[in-house]
Amino acid sequence: MNLFALLDQAASRHADRGAVFVGTRQLHTWAQVRDRALALAATLRAAHEPGTRIAVASENRPEIVELMFATWAAECVIVPINYKLHALEMKQILDDSGAATVFASPKIAAGLTDVAVEVLDSAEYTARLAAEPSAPPRDTDPDALAWLFYTSGTTGRSKGAMLSHRNLMAMTVSHLADFDDPDADCSLVHGAPMSHGSGLYIAPYVLRGARQVIPESAAFEPDEFLDLCEQHPGCSSFLAPTMVQRLVATGRPRPANLRTVVYGGGPMYVDSLKKAMAAFGPIFVQLYGQGEAPMTITGLRRADHLNADDATLGSVGYARSGVDVAVVDADGAPAAVDEIGEIVCRGDVVMSGYWRNPDATAATLRKGWLRTGDMGSFDARGYLTLRDRSKDVVISGGSNIYPREVEEVLITHPEVTEACVVGAHDEEWGEVVVAFIVGTADAAELDAHLLERIARFKRPKRYHHVDELPKNSYGKVLKRALREQLAR
Ligand code: AMP
């Protein structure tokens, strides 16, 4: 099993149809993408053994698609690097993965001064495309590594989750079974970084021969994104919750061809989700996943959003096809309905471990189960609700307080645009709840708002008004940075 087969199929069935677009401009047909990938593969094979890591550090660019399939055709391992990382963070990933060849966009290459890189639109790169194409791979072991997925590192140094062809095929099948049903008259518009979520979704859409649309800006600009969803047919996209909010903030209606927005990777507050559905209609799908089980642990399908109560909208849905999901207590025994414990999962989608990191692997994979580090509970219907990562839970005077719950309420205040709740050390209580607020509502107004809606003991003892919340390059709020700020 080799993921190159997905491109091979698309090229056989849809040879002359447009495959890769930049903005509205068609760059290549499916037959051309296959030819380019096999030529690139020949040059990689000539230089590297199977299993060699090939890195690509670039903002969203069309070459990422062909390089991914070229790397797989050469039975090598792609290591996509988020373009928003600092050069030192990129260097850490390159060193850790031991990447033998590093492709980089001109912009990234300029910042990666002490690394030998090949620039994506250089003469060297173009010369590769003239090589005699390699034969498609025939006998790849399904468990061979396909992708080293570097985690976003919100809890420390970035680790490389080892994803095999089997893992990504399981993700692909599950996406097509649960979430979306594209065909050759559809498009995947890349809003989020192709090094992560948006790039993982290349596989299912290539299998169906759906267009790969890369915005001209190579990034996420809400108006440009919405324009592209007018101009391309049957558009789907994976977006982080903050990107969905930015689309809503444009005040524009749903573009005629925008069919599906998959959101996830971080909390989508119920209030924000309702606003998004009011603006764009029932096009939303939620995923809960992590690099270690790419895009696939639980989900809420489009239909699950219709006439749904707040408990459903605030949940992360139910187990994805082909995935076992459980909540376990501290001893690893299954938790009761509504009881909070650690979320674990298993299935073909789960990584085989962390690259060259047996200690982290042993701590995370237990008897085939992936320990997600996320806390949650199942309701009687099998809907899972996330209760923050275990380390984010605030224990104040012996009571567990789940920041997400307080944030959900704060965000419903009309004068709050963003809220983040963390614990701060306190002599008397052990920890107290502290809220960081973007918005103009003052402490008394916020207290009054909370007291009408949640238990008094969950109320923040302090509010800090800030212009913005610190976020990493994936748009995830850096709670650690806020806690450190409080400790200082
Ligand atoms: P990453 O591996 O960088 O994609 O981060 C995965 C983590 O993001 C998960 O372990 C969760 O803590 C969080 N996450 C992913 N999806 C969701 C979601 N739908 N709602 C809330 N948090 C999420």
Side-chain angles (χ1 to χ4, degrees), residues 241-242 245 267-275 310 314 403-421 435-441 445-446 449-450 453-454 460 463 469 471 477:
T242 48
Q245 274 175 277
M268 173 73 121
Y269 299 108
V270 173
D271 194 58
S272 312
L273 177 57
K274 284 181 179 169
K275 285 186 181 132
D310 285 5
R404 166 88 185 250
E405 191 188 351
V406 185
E407 289 159 2
E408 285 276 10
V409 179
L410 287 170
I411 201 82
T412 60
H413 192 286
E415 278 151 42
V416 171
T417 37
E418 285 188 281
C420 180
V421 166
F436 287 81
I437 303 287
V438 182
T440 53
E445 288 167 328
L446 292 169
H449 184 76
L450 289 170
R453 294 166 176 88
I454 52 170
Y463 297 95
L469 295 173
K471 295 192 180 123
V477 177

Side-chain angles (χ1 to χ4, degrees), residues 358-373:
D359 292 346
T361 301
T364 309
L365 290 177
R366 297 266 174 87
K367 297 184 184 147
W369 289 90
L370 169 70
R371 302 182 56 173
T372 63

Side-chain angles (χ1 to χ4, degrees), residues 284-349:
F284 293 98
V285 171
Q286 183 183 184
L287 78 81
Y288 160 54
Q290 53 178 208
E292 293 81 349
M295 311 303 262
T296 324
I297 299 175
T298 64
L300 272 181
R301 292 145 62 97
R302 263 195 221 85
D304 299 316
H305 289 74
L306 295 176
N307 307 316
D309 56 18
D310 285 5
T312 303
L313 293 179
S315 78
V316 292
Y318 43 92
R320 297 287 302 279
S321 299
V323 186
D324 280 345
V325 185
V327 170
V328 296
D329 65 19
D331 302 324
V337 165
D338 293 329
E339 189 188 339
I340 295 169
E342 186 178 9
I343 300 164
V344 298
C345 71
R346 71 177 172 190
D348 275 356
V349 80

Side-chain angles (χ1 to χ4, degrees), residues 149 151-153 196 263-268 286-292 316 372-374 386 389 404 474 476:
F149 185 103
T151 57
S152 55
H196 285 72
Y263 63 90
M268 173 73 121
Q286 183 183 184
L287 78 81
Y288 160 54
Q290 53 178 208
E292 293 81 349
V316 292
T372 63
D374 291 317
L386 241 56
R389 295 187 68 79
R404 166 88 185 250
Y474 303 83
K476 292 189 199 236

Side-chain angles (χ1 to χ4, degrees), residues 62 80-81 88 119 198 227 300 309 399 428 439 441:
I81 299 178
L88 289 175
V119 180
S198 210
D227 289 344
L300 272 181
D309 56 18
S399 299
E428 187 183 353

